[in-house]
Amino acid sequence: MRFSKLFIPTLKEEPAEAEIISHKLLFRAGMVRKVASGVYSFLPLGFKVLKKIERIIREEMDAIGAQEILMPALQPSEIWVESGRWSEYGPEMWRVKDRNDRDFCLGPTHEELVTSLVMGEVRSYRQLPQTFYQIQMKFRDEIRPRFGLMRAREFLMKDAYSFNADLEDLERSYTDMDRAYTRIFQRCGFNFRSVEAASGLIGGKVSREFMILAESGEDTVFYCDSCDYAASADVATTRLIEPPKEAARPTIKVSTPGKKSVTEVSAFLGVPQEKLVKTLVYRFEDSIAAVLMRGGREVNESKLSAILGTTRFHLLGEGEFREVDLVPGYVGPVGLREGVRLIADDEVALLTNFVVGANEEDAHLKDVNIGVDFQVEEWGDLKLAEEGEPCPQCAGGKLLSAKSIEAGHIFQLGTRYSEAMGASFVAENGERKPYIMGCYGIGVSRMVAAAIEQYHDDAGILWPVSIAPFEIEIVPLKWDDGAIRKTAEELYEGLLAKGIEALLDDRSESPGKKFADADLIGIPVQIIIGPRSIVSGNAEIKVRSTAERSEAPIADAVDESVRILKNLFRAIAGE
RNA sequence: CGGGAUGUAGCGCAGCUUGGUCAGCGCGCCUGCUUUGGGAGCAGGAGGCCGGCGGUUCAAAUCCGCCCAUCCCGACCA
């Protein structure tokens, strides 16, 4: 492709709006333009990257036998009412009406649609398993779109759905996907980690996220420094250290005037934080839940959400305590009023003779014990993991954390949708059974931004070869010079003949402008032809990512640059 | 939703406090000449309902009100 024939509106100055580096560079390199908050157009260069990523995804999906289809973005409300998500999904769902006032939405995801498609067609276990995928725009009216393509309201997603006859079959589809995803992220050149994840609203139990490591990431992952344990912050846990057991002492009430927080009470009573149990009160729907947590620990609200079965809950505000007849700062499990759902973090089970709120103003209870002073019906892991804590999987390992960008997520869904929608098949024994489903997503447009977050320098983008918009760029420094032009044209033809995706900067711009643009758009290999080259007979080859420069006789420049390019591909493949 | 900020030429900004030759600068764009190894120089030029609506005033980019858009922060850890 010739630069002059491509619309690449590069900018010298960065847009005031952009906050993170990928957003700035996508804009400056002329790859995207904003249409509205969280809504973007892809320009030719940006679209090429998108297509390169899509191609890798298609190859890996096809390789595991997933079949590409295309479902509509526009979906009728009926199927969402059937699954129960028309009301569950909330304002994030983009709802629209047709001229006859019928409700539709712009699909935020496609479980309902694909289930309704399959249930009409796939009737027998003989037709299973089936896995479908599509690459399509998704619509989510995010609370706060931000960071350009990173959190957009309209974005490109690859979503896949497997329909399986039983759990073992689902396991196979899921494992295939897991491997395909790993290959996709490897081939795109990402530094990523696959981690245990929470399932959230979508349902199901087993799920893994594919996290691209980047400082600007909105998510946190924890991983072990000595084994392969890795989990998103939503589900990460830690090995509990059991404190020495003490014989239960009789409870005594102590006066703690004005001392409410764990640190205050701990200091005031001279009791270590680890011997305090705090009682956090949440309101959800029309109920109240109290969470018992060891002092010094934080509640992981994702874990709580999974237990409560809703994301709509909040910690009680100062004013709300009176309404529900509780004493702020002094709530405790002993003598807790009726009607409060008590959930304890499993670490609390290890404690003896601890301190809790007394459910009255300015007082705490000391030497409290479970089973003696109160009972707990509901236990769970509700802790927020922290860096440096012991690994839950191996002995001696420590948890490290990193910021990351969620780029892929795979779920074993089970029958959440098939049951709700009455989608079933006839099994081998003649019984009707709901499909066992899995769903598998990749944020394709987000990957474009994530790649830049991971690969850039002060001058611009450093595309991994596999997803770069072009593979080799020829930079003739003086286009109006006949010898330079002729040389550049010959190199260009030579590269094209070898099937290389080559970009020829055939503009009559100054050398400075051409260098700057080439570095900005980040094509992995540059061949520079200037007056010097004509004198010396050597072309200069520069690797964008490492800034390594080498010289090659012009006659060999095609072969040499292709050799360098192949090496870059091999580096990504880990060879 | 709550809080903060911004909106002036395609992009980046100044001007607003102290209403009145304040419609300005840089980049980009157009024309011509000269240039060409890290965003060239000179000369000339085009381009703006100063986010929208309403108000105050003899007079509004500037003061007031409402609205819209965009960006940032936050979701209360007893």
Side-chain angles (χ1 to χ4, degrees), chain A residues 147-214:
Chain A
F147 301 150
L149 295 184
M150 208 61 91
R151 183 167 295 279
R153 296 194 292 177
E154 176 178 338
F155 59 97
L156 195 66
M157 182 170 176
K158 188 282 314 182
D159 47 326
Y161 307 89
S162 73
F163 291 82
N164 303 93
D166 54 42
L167 282 173
E168 293 73 51
D169 194 31
L170 169 63
E171 195 76 45
R172 276 191 292 277
S173 294
Y174 180 84
T175 305
D176 284 347
M177 278 291 173
D178 195 351
R179 292 190 184 132
Y181 270 45
T182 299
R183 282 191 295 270
I184 289 166
F185 288 101
Q186 279 170 347
R187 285 182 62 187
C188 290
F190 285 115
N191 179 208
F192 72 102
R193 276 205 162 68
S194 135
V195 305
E196 283 177 26
S199 302
L201 260 188
I202 206 162
K205 289 216 168 65
V206 180
S207 91
R208 293 191 77 78
E209 282 170 339
F210 289 76
M211 302 294 237
I212 294 170
L213 303 185

Side-chain angles (χ1 to χ4, degrees), chain A residues 215-256:
Chain A
E215 266 315 302
S216 61
E218 295 181 272
D219 296 308
T220 303
V221 295
F222 286 92
Y223 56 97
C224 178
D225 64 1
S226 63
C227 76
D228 67 352
Y229 178 78
S232 89
D234 290 345
V235 299
T237 190
T238 173
R239 181 188 297 278
L240 297 179
I241 296 159
E242 195 160 352
K245 280 258 189 269
E246 299 170 5
R249 292 192 288 266
T251 297
I252 47 171
K253 188 189 286 184
V254 289
S255 172
T256 49

Side-chain angles (χ1 to χ4, degrees), chain A residues 245-250 271 275 351-355 366-370:
Chain A
K245 280 258 189 269
E246 299 170 5
R249 292 192 288 266
V271 172
K275 298 272 287 182
L351 306 179
T352 46
N353 296 323
F354 49 87
V355 174
K366 238 182 127 169
D367 294 334
V368 169
N369 288 284
I370 298 163

Side-chain angles (χ1 to χ4, degrees), chain A residues 397-414:
Chain A
K398 267 199 188 135
L399 290 184
L400 299 176
S401 75
K403 284 293 179 192
S404 65
I405 298 161
E406 181 188 350
H409 202 159
I410 57 176
F411 300 82
Q412 292 187 15
L413 277 182

Side-chain angles (χ1 to χ4, degrees), chain A residues 436-452:
Chain A
I436 314 282
M437 293 171 59
C439 75
Y440 318 91
I442 291 183
V444 184
S445 46
R446 177 177 281 185
M447 281 170 81
V448 177
I452 299 175

Side-chain angles (χ1 to χ4, degrees), chain A residues 467-485:
Chain A
I467 62 173
F470 290 94
E471 294 170 328
I472 298 180
E473 176 171 351
I474 301 165
V475 188
L477 296 179
K478 200 173 169 183
W479 185 247
D480 299 327
D481 179 303
I484 291 175
R485 182 193 296 221

